[in-house]
PDB file of all heavy atoms in Angstrom:
ATOM      1  N   GLU A  55     -43.263 -10.097  63.809  1.00 98.00           N
ATOM      2  CA  GLU A  55     -43.996 -11.190  63.161  1.00 98.00           C
ATOM      3  C   GLU A  55     -44.826 -10.659  61.992  1.00 98.00           C
ATOM      4  O   GLU A  55     -44.855 -11.268  60.915  1.00 98.00           O
ATOM      5  CB  GLU A  55     -44.887 -11.917  64.172  1.00 98.00           C
ATOM      6  CG  GLU A  55     -45.583 -13.121  63.576  1.00 98.00           C
ATOM      7  CD  GLU A  55     -46.447 -13.887  64.559  1.00 98.00           C
ATOM      8  OE1 GLU A  55     -46.515 -13.511  65.750  1.00 98.00           O
ATOM      9  OE2 GLU A  55     -47.078 -14.866  64.125  1.00 98.00           O
ATOM     10  N   ILE A  56     -45.479  -9.527  62.187  1.00 98.00           N
ATOM     11  CA  ILE A  56     -46.261  -8.914  61.099  1.00 98.00           C
ATOM     12  C   ILE A  56     -45.341  -8.580  59.935  1.00 98.00           C
ATOM     13  O   ILE A  56     -45.633  -8.893  58.778  1.00 98.00           O
ATOM     14  CB  ILE A  56     -47.002  -7.652  61.604  1.00 98.00           C
ATOM     15  CG1 ILE A  56     -48.080  -8.029  62.625  1.00 98.00           C
ATOM     16  CG2 ILE A  56     -47.613  -6.878  60.427  1.00 98.00           C
ATOM     17  CD1 ILE A  56     -48.621  -6.846  63.421  1.00 98.00           C
ATOM     18  N   LYS A  57     -44.203  -7.948  60.242  1.00 98.00           N
ATOM     19  CA  LYS A  57     -43.264  -7.564  59.181  1.00 98.00           C
ATOM     20  C   LYS A  57     -42.714  -8.788  58.440  1.00 98.00           C
ATOM     21  O   LYS A  57     -42.521  -8.759  57.230  1.00 98.00           O
ATOM     22  CB  LYS A  57     -42.128  -6.720  59.770  1.00 98.00           C
ATOM     23  CG  LYS A  57     -42.605  -5.339  60.225  1.00 98.00           C
ATOM     24  CD  LYS A  57     -41.541  -4.574  60.976  1.00 98.00           C
ATOM     25  CE  LYS A  57     -40.568  -3.912  60.058  1.00 98.00           C
ATOM     26  NZ  LYS A  57     -39.641  -3.004  60.751  1.00 98.00           N
ATOM     27  N   ALA A  58     -42.502  -9.867  59.164  1.00 98.00           N
ATOM     28  CA  ALA A  58     -41.933 -11.072  58.554  1.00 98.00           C
ATOM     29  C   ALA A  58     -42.962 -11.838  57.718  1.00 98.00           C
ATOM     30  O   ALA A  58     -42.622 -12.405  56.679  1.00 98.00           O
ATOM     31  CB  ALA A  58     -41.363 -11.987  59.634  1.00 98.00           C
ATOM     32  N   LYS A  59     -44.210 -11.866  58.161  1.00 98.00           N
ATOM     33  CA  LYS A  59     -45.220 -12.707  57.512  1.00 98.00           C
ATOM     34  C   LYS A  59     -46.079 -11.978  56.484  1.00 98.00           C
ATOM     35  O   LYS A  59     -46.732 -12.620  55.660  1.00 98.00           O
ATOM     36  CB  LYS A  59     -46.134 -13.344  58.568  1.00 98.00           C
ATOM     37  CG  LYS A  59     -45.444 -14.402  59.405  1.00 98.00           C
ATOM     38  CD  LYS A  59     -46.438 -15.040  60.369  1.00 98.00           C
ATOM     39  CE  LYS A  59     -45.816 -16.197  61.137  1.00 98.00           C
ATOM     40  NZ  LYS A  59     -46.779 -16.781  62.094  1.00 98.00           N
ATOM     41  N   ALA A  60     -46.119 -10.659  56.528  1.00 97.00           N
ATOM     42  CA  ALA A  60     -46.963  -9.905  55.584  1.00 97.00           C
ATOM     43  C   ALA A  60     -46.451 -10.081  54.157  1.00 97.00           C
ATOM     44  O   ALA A  60     -45.242 -10.255  53.938  1.00 97.00           O
ATOM     45  CB  ALA A  60     -46.965  -8.423  55.952  1.00 97.00           C
ATOM     46  N   VAL A  61     -47.368 -10.021  53.207  1.00 96.00           N
ATOM     47  CA  VAL A  61     -46.969  -9.991  51.794  1.00 96.00           C
ATOM     48  C   VAL A  61     -46.109  -8.757  51.573  1.00 96.00           C
ATOM     49  O   VAL A  61     -45.043  -8.808  50.963  1.00 96.00           O
ATOM     50  CB  VAL A  61     -48.209  -9.975  50.873  1.00 96.00           C
ATOM     51  CG1 VAL A  61     -47.811  -9.754  49.417  1.00 96.00           C
ATOM     52  CG2 VAL A  61     -49.010 -11.255  51.031  1.00 96.00           C
ATOM     53  N   THR A  62     -46.584  -7.632  52.090  1.00 97.00           N
ATOM     54  CA  THR A  62     -45.841  -6.375  52.070  1.00 97.00           C
ATOM     55  C   THR A  62     -46.461  -5.436  53.097  1.00 97.00           C
ATOM     56  O   THR A  62     -47.588  -5.648  53.559  1.00 97.00           O
ATOM     57  CB  THR A  62     -45.817  -5.735  50.667  1.00 97.00           C
ATOM     58  OG1 THR A  62     -44.929  -4.604  50.687  1.00 97.00           O
ATOM     59  CG2 THR A  62     -47.192  -5.286  50.218  1.00 97.00           C
ATOM     60  N   PHE A  63     -45.722  -4.411  53.465  1.00 98.00           N
ATOM     61  CA  PHE A  63     -46.229  -3.422  54.417  1.00 98.00           C
ATOM     62  C   PHE A  63     -45.519  -2.096  54.156  1.00 98.00           C
ATOM     63  O   PHE A  63     -44.485  -2.040  53.494  1.00 98.00           O
ATOM     64  CB  PHE A  63     -45.990  -3.870  55.871  1.00 98.00           C
ATOM     65  CG  PHE A  63     -44.541  -3.928  56.259  1.00 98.00           C
ATOM     66  CD1 PHE A  63     -43.905  -2.818  56.796  1.00 98.00           C
ATOM     67  CD2 PHE A  63     -43.804  -5.086  56.060  1.00 98.00           C
ATOM     68  CE1 PHE A  63     -42.556  -2.863  57.119  1.00 98.00           C
ATOM     69  CE2 PHE A  63     -42.450  -5.145  56.384  1.00 98.00           C
ATOM     70  CZ  PHE A  63     -41.834  -4.029  56.918  1.00 98.00           C
ATOM     71  N   GLY A  64     -46.101  -1.034  54.686  1.00 98.00           N
ATOM     72  CA  GLY A  64     -45.480   0.279  54.633  1.00 98.00           C
ATOM     73  C   GLY A  64     -45.791   1.041  55.903  1.00 98.00           C
ATOM     74  O   GLY A  64     -46.854   0.842  56.506  1.00 98.00           O
ATOM     75  N   ILE A  65     -44.860   1.862  56.333  1.00 98.00           N
ATOM     76  CA  ILE A  65     -45.083   2.759  57.473  1.00 98.00           C
ATOM     77  C   ILE A  65     -44.807   4.168  56.974  1.00 98.00           C
ATOM     78  O   ILE A  65     -43.719   4.447  56.473  1.00 98.00           O
ATOM     79  CB  ILE A  65     -44.184   2.393  58.672  1.00 98.00           C
ATOM     80  CG1 ILE A  65     -44.498   0.972  59.161  1.00 98.00           C
ATOM     81  CG2 ILE A  65     -44.378   3.412  59.809  1.00 98.00           C
ATOM     82  CD1 ILE A  65     -43.521   0.433  60.194  1.00 98.00           C
ATOM     83  N   GLY A  66     -45.821   5.029  57.073  1.00 98.00           N
ATOM     84  CA  GLY A  66     -45.705   6.396  56.593  1.00 98.00           C
ATOM     85  C   GLY A  66     -45.811   7.393  57.729  1.00 98.00           C
ATOM     86  O   GLY A  66     -46.407   7.105  58.764  1.00 98.00           O
ATOM     87  N   TRP A  67     -45.239   8.562  57.512  1.00 98.00           N
ATOM     88  CA  TRP A  67     -45.155   9.579  58.567  1.00 98.00           C
ATOM     89  C   TRP A  67     -45.602  10.933  58.028  1.00 98.00           C
ATOM     90  O   TRP A  67     -45.400  11.232  56.854  1.00 98.00           O
ATOM     91  CB  TRP A  67     -43.708   9.732  59.040  1.00 98.00           C
ATOM     92  CG  TRP A  67     -43.058   8.452  59.445  1.00 98.00           C
ATOM     93  CD1 TRP A  67     -42.474   7.536  58.618  1.00 98.00           C
ATOM     94  CD2 TRP A  67     -42.925   7.940  60.768  1.00 98.00           C
ATOM     95  NE1 TRP A  67     -41.979   6.485  59.355  1.00 98.00           N
ATOM     96  CE2 TRP A  67     -42.247   6.705  60.679  1.00 98.00           C
ATOM     97  CE3 TRP A  67     -43.318   8.415  62.020  1.00 98.00           C
ATOM     98  CZ2 TRP A  67     -41.947   5.927  61.793  1.00 98.00           C
ATOM     99  CZ3 TRP A  67     -43.006   7.638  63.128  1.00 98.00           C
ATOM    100  CH2 TRP A  67     -42.335   6.422  63.015  1.00 98.00           C
ATOM    101  N   ALA A  68     -46.132  11.749  58.913  1.00 98.00           N
ATOM    102  CA  ALA A  68     -46.289  13.182  58.653  1.00 98.00           C
ATOM    103  C   ALA A  68     -45.728  13.893  59.881  1.00 98.00           C
ATOM    104  O   ALA A  68     -46.054  13.549  61.020  1.00 98.00           O
ATOM    105  CB  ALA A  68     -47.736  13.560  58.419  1.00 98.00           C
ATOM    106  N   SER A  69     -44.869  14.847  59.646  1.00 98.00           N
ATOM    107  CA  SER A  69     -44.144  15.528  60.721  1.00 98.00           C
ATOM    108  C   SER A  69     -45.039  16.509  61.472  1.00 98.00           C
ATOM    109  O   SER A  69     -46.096  16.908  60.971  1.00 98.00           O
ATOM    110  CB  SER A  69     -42.962  16.288  60.123  1.00 98.00           C
ATOM    111  OG  SER A  69     -43.456  17.378  59.349  1.00 98.00           O
ATOM    112  N   PRO A  70     -44.597  16.937  62.658  1.00 98.00           N
ATOM    113  CA  PRO A  70     -45.343  17.976  63.370  1.00 98.00           C
ATOM    114  C   PRO A  70     -45.532  19.238  62.519  1.00 98.00           C
ATOM    115  O   PRO A  70     -46.599  19.853  62.556  1.00 98.00           O
ATOM    116  CB  PRO A  70     -44.488  18.257  64.605  1.00 98.00           C
ATOM    117  CG  PRO A  70     -43.741  16.989  64.838  1.00 98.00           C
ATOM    118  CD  PRO A  70     -43.478  16.426  63.472  1.00 98.00           C
ATOM    119  N   ALA A  71     -44.518  19.607  61.730  1.00 98.00           N
ATOM    120  CA  ALA A  71     -44.636  20.788  60.867  1.00 98.00           C
ATOM    121  C   ALA A  71     -45.727  20.573  59.813  1.00 98.00           C
ATOM    122  O   ALA A  71     -46.490  21.504  59.502  1.00 98.00           O
ATOM    123  CB  ALA A  71     -43.306  21.097  60.191  1.00 98.00           C
ATOM    124  N   GLU A  72     -45.823  19.347  59.287  1.00 98.00           N
ATOM    125  CA  GLU A  72     -46.887  19.053  58.313  1.00 98.00           C
ATOM    126  C   GLU A  72     -48.254  19.055  58.975  1.00 98.00           C
ATOM    127  O   GLU A  72     -49.246  19.496  58.376  1.00 98.00           O
ATOM    128  CB  GLU A  72     -46.605  17.719  57.621  1.00 98.00           C
ATOM    129  CG  GLU A  72     -45.432  17.821  56.653  1.00 98.00           C
ATOM    130  CD  GLU A  72     -44.969  16.489  56.110  1.00 98.00           C
ATOM    131  OE1 GLU A  72     -44.944  15.482  56.862  1.00 98.00           O
ATOM    132  OE2 GLU A  72     -44.609  16.442  54.916  1.00 98.00           O
ATOM    133  N   VAL A  73     -48.328  18.580  60.228  1.00 98.00           N
ATOM    134  CA  VAL A  73     -49.588  18.656  60.985  1.00 98.00           C
ATOM    135  C   VAL A  73     -50.009  20.112  61.106  1.00 98.00           C
ATOM    136  O   VAL A  73     -51.177  20.467  60.870  1.00 98.00           O
ATOM    137  CB  VAL A  73     -49.443  18.007  62.377  1.00 98.00           C
ATOM    138  CG1 VAL A  73     -50.667  18.297  63.245  1.00 98.00           C
ATOM    139  CG2 VAL A  73     -49.214  16.499  62.258  1.00 98.00           C
ATOM    140  N   ASP A  74     -49.065  20.978  61.461  1.00 98.00           N
ATOM    141  CA  ASP A  74     -49.371  22.406  61.630  1.00 98.00           C
ATOM    142  C   ASP A  74     -49.759  23.062  60.308  1.00 98.00           C
ATOM    143  O   ASP A  74     -50.651  23.907  60.266  1.00 98.00           O
ATOM    144  CB  ASP A  74     -48.172  23.139  62.235  1.00 98.00           C
ATOM    145  CG  ASP A  74     -47.907  22.736  63.677  1.00 98.00           C
ATOM    146  OD1 ASP A  74     -48.843  22.279  64.352  1.00 98.00           O
ATOM    147  OD2 ASP A  74     -46.750  22.889  64.125  1.00 98.00           O
ATOM    148  N   GLN A  75     -49.091  22.669  59.247  1.00 98.00           N
ATOM    149  CA  GLN A  75     -49.347  23.280  57.941  1.00 98.00           C
ATOM    150  C   GLN A  75     -50.673  22.820  57.338  1.00 98.00           C
ATOM    151  O   GLN A  75     -51.427  23.622  56.783  1.00 98.00           O
ATOM    152  CB  GLN A  75     -48.208  22.923  56.988  1.00 98.00           C
ATOM    153  CG  GLN A  75     -48.358  23.499  55.599  1.00 98.00           C
ATOM    154  CD  GLN A  75     -47.282  22.975  54.646  1.00 98.00           C
ATOM    155  OE1 GLN A  75     -46.349  22.296  55.054  1.00 98.00           O
ATOM    156  NE2 GLN A  75     -47.426  23.295  53.389  1.00 98.00           N
ATOM    157  N   LEU A  76     -50.975  21.526  57.459  1.00 98.00           N
ATOM    158  CA  LEU A  76     -52.127  20.951  56.766  1.00 98.00           C
ATOM    159  C   LEU A  76     -53.379  20.839  57.629  1.00 98.00           C
ATOM    160  O   LEU A  76     -54.482  20.958  57.125  1.00 98.00           O
ATOM    161  CB  LEU A  76     -51.773  19.533  56.268  1.00 98.00           C
ATOM    162  CG  LEU A  76     -50.623  19.429  55.290  1.00 98.00           C
ATOM    163  CD1 LEU A  76     -50.245  17.964  55.071  1.00 98.00           C
ATOM    164  CD2 LEU A  76     -51.004  20.081  53.965  1.00 98.00           C
ATOM    165  N   ASN A  77     -53.256  20.542  58.876  1.00 97.00           N
ATOM    166  CA  ASN A  77     -54.213  20.179  59.923  1.00 97.00           C
ATOM    167  C   ASN A  77     -54.066  18.678  60.162  1.00 97.00           C
ATOM    168  O   ASN A  77     -53.546  17.945  59.316  1.00 97.00           O
ATOM    169  CB  ASN A  77     -55.667  20.620  59.653  1.00 97.00           C
ATOM    170  CG  ASN A  77     -56.391  19.824  58.583  1.00 97.00           C
ATOM    171  OD1 ASN A  77     -56.335  18.586  58.539  1.00 97.00           O
ATOM    172  ND2 ASN A  77     -57.084  20.535  57.685  1.00 97.00           N
ATOM    173  N   ILE A  78     -54.528  18.203  61.303  1.00 98.00           N
ATOM    174  CA  ILE A  78     -54.260  16.820  61.699  1.00 98.00           C
ATOM    175  C   ILE A  78     -54.960  15.825  60.775  1.00 98.00           C
ATOM    176  O   ILE A  78     -54.408  14.763  60.444  1.00 98.00           O
ATOM    177  CB  ILE A  78     -54.611  16.560  63.184  1.00 98.00           C
ATOM    178  CG1 ILE A  78     -54.153  15.152  63.618  1.00 98.00           C
ATOM    179  CG2 ILE A  78     -56.084  16.774  63.456  1.00 98.00           C
ATOM    180  CD1 ILE A  78     -52.685  14.858  63.456  1.00 98.00           C
ATOM    181  N   ARG A  79     -56.132  16.147  60.291  1.00 97.00           N
ATOM    182  CA  ARG A  79     -56.854  15.224  59.398  1.00 97.00           C
ATOM    183  C   ARG A  79     -56.090  15.010  58.094  1.00 97.00           C
ATOM    184  O   ARG A  79     -55.849  13.880  57.670  1.00 97.00           O
ATOM    185  CB  ARG A  79     -58.245  15.794  59.119  1.00 97.00           C
ATOM    186  CG  ARG A  79     -59.128  14.928  58.257  1.00 97.00           C
ATOM    187  CD  ARG A  79     -60.525  15.579  58.171  1.00 97.00           C
ATOM    188  NE  ARG A  79     -61.477  14.698  57.559  1.00 97.00           N
ATOM    189  CZ  ARG A  79     -61.856  14.766  56.283  1.00 97.00           C
ATOM    190  NH1 ARG A  79     -61.326  15.683  55.483  1.00 97.00           N
ATOM    191  NH2 ARG A  79     -62.745  13.934  55.799  1.00 97.00           N
ATOM    192  N   GLU A  80     -55.680  16.111  57.464  1.00 98.00           N
ATOM    193  CA  GLU A  80     -54.959  16.011  56.189  1.00 98.00           C
ATOM    194  C   GLU A  80     -53.566  15.414  56.378  1.00 98.00           C
ATOM    195  O   GLU A  80     -53.075  14.684  55.512  1.00 98.00           O
ATOM    196  CB  GLU A  80     -54.884  17.373  55.503  1.00 98.00           C
ATOM    197  CG  GLU A  80     -56.239  17.903  55.051  1.00 98.00           C
ATOM    198  CD  GLU A  80     -56.973  16.957  54.111  1.00 98.00           C
ATOM    199  OE1 GLU A  80     -56.332  16.370  53.215  1.00 98.00           O
ATOM    200  OE2 GLU A  80     -58.202  16.785  54.281  1.00 98.00           O
ATOM    201  N   ALA A  81     -52.930  15.703  57.511  1.00 98.00           N
ATOM    202  CA  ALA A  81     -51.613  15.117  57.784  1.00 98.00           C
ATOM    203  C   ALA A  81     -51.738  13.604  57.986  1.00 98.00           C
ATOM    204  O   ALA A  81     -50.870  12.838  57.551  1.00 98.00           O
ATOM    205  CB  ALA A  81     -50.977  15.767  59.006  1.00 98.00           C
ATOM    206  N   THR A  82     -52.828  13.165  58.618  1.00 98.00           N
ATOM    207  CA  THR A  82     -53.083  11.735  58.773  1.00 98.00           C
ATOM    208  C   THR A  82     -53.249  11.082  57.408  1.00 98.00           C
ATOM    209  O   THR A  82     -52.690  10.017  57.136  1.00 98.00           O
ATOM    210  CB  THR A  82     -54.337  11.504  59.641  1.00 98.00           C
ATOM    211  OG1 THR A  82     -54.118  12.085  60.934  1.00 98.00           O
ATOM    212  CG2 THR A  82     -54.648  10.026  59.796  1.00 98.00           C
ATOM    213  N   PHE A  83     -54.012  11.729  56.538  1.00 98.00           N
ATOM    214  CA  PHE A  83     -54.195  11.201  55.179  1.00 98.00           C
ATOM    215  C   PHE A  83     -52.865  11.148  54.427  1.00 98.00           C
ATOM    216  O   PHE A  83     -52.598  10.202  53.681  1.00 98.00           O
ATOM    217  CB  PHE A  83     -55.202  12.051  54.405  1.00 98.00           C
ATOM    218  CG  PHE A  83     -56.622  11.924  54.883  1.00 98.00           C
ATOM    219  CD1 PHE A  83     -57.574  12.852  54.486  1.00 98.00           C
ATOM    220  CD2 PHE A  83     -57.029  10.904  55.722  1.00 98.00           C
ATOM    221  CE1 PHE A  83     -58.894  12.747  54.906  1.00 98.00           C
ATOM    222  CE2 PHE A  83     -58.345  10.789  56.156  1.00 98.00           C
ATOM    223  CZ  PHE A  83     -59.280  11.720  55.745  1.00 98.00           C
ATOM    224  N   LEU A  84     -52.012  12.153  54.631  1.00 98.00           N
ATOM    225  CA  LEU A  84     -50.695  12.172  53.994  1.00 98.00           C
ATOM    226  C   LEU A  84     -49.856  10.987  54.472  1.00 98.00           C
ATOM    227  O   LEU A  84     -49.214  10.298  53.666  1.00 98.00           O
ATOM    228  CB  LEU A  84     -49.988  13.495  54.299  1.00 98.00           C
ATOM    229  CG  LEU A  84     -48.581  13.667  53.728  1.00 98.00           C
ATOM    230  CD1 LEU A  84     -48.591  13.609  52.205  1.00 98.00           C
ATOM    231  CD2 LEU A  84     -47.977  14.992  54.213  1.00 98.00           C
TER     232      LEU A  84
END
Side-chain angles (χ1 to χ4, degrees):
E55 184 179 359
I56 293 166
K57 291 172 81 172
K59 290 183 175 178
V61 172
T62 187
F63 66 90
I65 299 171
W67 307 83
S69 69
E72 288 171 321
V73 170
D74 292 336
Q75 180 187 352
L76 299 171
N77 73 45
I78 187 58
R79 182 175 190 261
E80 294 303 319
T82 300
F83 290 165
L84 179 62

